[in-house]
Amino acid sequence: MIVRALSGARLALICLVSACVPIVGTSFEGAAAVDGAPTIFTPVASEDPATLLNVQRSAAGLPSLARNASLDTVATAYAAEIAASGRLDHIGGDGRDPGQRIAALCRFSAAGENIARGQPSTSATFRIWMGSEVHRRNIQGQSYRIFGFGEVSGVRVLLFASGC
């Protein structure tokens, strides 16, 4: 596990194998869990990231997040960078972290990023994220109001923010 402070955004970030969860002020039985946590995934007959995300939030009694085109653009660009470099890391080749990438667009009080590579589908990626307590914490983040999603060559990036 890596613990790193996000400069500029004043958030802490806990990183595991496939993604990170910020620490801010803010089911499916039998699937493998990433960190030993029980897998809590509500199956969805969809590969649409907005549907997958918001069904998981709804199952936890949380409001839906709105998709943000600017965050989609940032997420897709970062997915392309990861795919090209082969490095699955939250710090980009330019040295920027997720908070800095989002801060280039807007001011926010909470932000987060989940990244993954190698899952056969978007729904498989969400199943794995929901099987990890830290990734699930991002998906179920109560401070978030918007999200963006990008996918390039099997790399998926899911960004969260309190607003933009």
Side-chain angles (χ1 to χ4, degrees):
M1 179 175 1
I2 300 167
V3 177
R4 175 176 292 160
L6 292 177
S7 60
R10 288 177 277 175
L11 304 174
L13 195 63
I14 298 176
C15 301
L16 293 177
V17 175
S18 68
C20 297
V21 63
I23 299 179
V24 296
T26 60
S27 120
F28 179 83
E29 300 297 324
V34 174
D35 58 9
T39 300
I40 303 165
F41 178 78
T42 302
V44 179
S46 175
E47 289 298 316
D48 174 56
T51 301
L52 288 159
L53 172 64
N54 286 319
V55 165
Q56 303 315 310
R57 290 180 60 81
S58 177
L62 298 166
S64 294
L65 300 184
R67 192 159 188 175
N68 180 281
S70 296
L71 286 182
D72 279 349
T73 299
V74 172
T76 300
Y78 196 56
E81 179 182 327
I82 291 170
S85 71
R87 291 182 47 244
L88 188 66
D89 193 334
H90 292 277
I91 305 301
D94 60 2
R96 293 189 313 159
D97 59 44
Q100 291 167 318
R101 287 190 290 276
I102 296 169
L105 293 173
C106 59
R107 295 178 55 90
F108 59 87
S109 59
E113 176 181 71
N114 284 1
I115 60 176
R117 173 180 55 206
Q119 291 73 30
S121 65
T122 302
S123 60
T125 301
F126 270 84
R127 183 180 304 248
I128 288 171
W129 283 337
M130 289 301 291
S132 164
E133 183 180 342
V134 295
H135 301 108
R136 185 171 55 249
R137 209 176 299 145
N138 253 353
I139 290 169
Q140 296 176 346
Q142 294 184 25
S143 297
Y144 303 137
R145 299 292 173 257
I146 61 174
F147 80 97
F149 182 82
E151 179 179 357
V152 175
S153 300
V155 174
R156 294 176 182 89
V157 175
L158 179 59
L159 294 174
F160 304 91
S162 54
C164 234

